[in-house]
Amino acid sequence: MMSSLAQRIGRARLRLVAWLPTAAGGRERGDVPGWVMITLMTAVLVVIIWGIASDQLRQLLTSAFDKISNQSNAGP
């Protein structure tokens, strides 16, 4: 009885070991083309938005930095 159980456990273990590299290998690669596409699309959107609204964005950032520096110069 014990040898039969040991054999079944051994076979199950071999099947598990044989399955793990393929399952882990598939998960480890990830979706590289998808991430490349997302990165490129994000970069294109940033360039388009910056090209259209660069003056407004520059004014917005300058105003924000001025407010921060004025608050820090005022002191407690």
Side-chain angles (χ1 to χ4, degrees):
M1 177 114 175
M2 198 56 130
S3 64
S4 173
L5 180 61
Q7 288 175 347
R8 287 181 21 205
I9 290 174
R11 283 192 299 258
R13 187 171 154 197
L14 286 175
R15 277 184 271 155
L16 178 65
V17 169
W19 174 79
L20 281 176
T22 57
R27 285 193 300 262
E28 289 293 321
R29 279 187 66 199
D31 185 18
V32 174
W35 283 109
V36 170
M37 182 61 75
I38 289 171
T39 304
L40 288 174
M41 288 171 55
T42 303
V44 168
L45 285 173
V46 167
V47 168
I48 289 171
I49 291 170
W50 191 262
I52 292 171
S54 63
D55 292 333
Q56 291 85 0
L57 289 171
R58 189 173 294 116
Q59 288 175 0
L60 178 73
L61 290 173
T62 303
S63 172
F65 289 140
D66 287 343
K67 286 180 183 179
I68 291 172
S69 65
N70 288 338
Q71 286 178 359
S72 64
N73 289 338

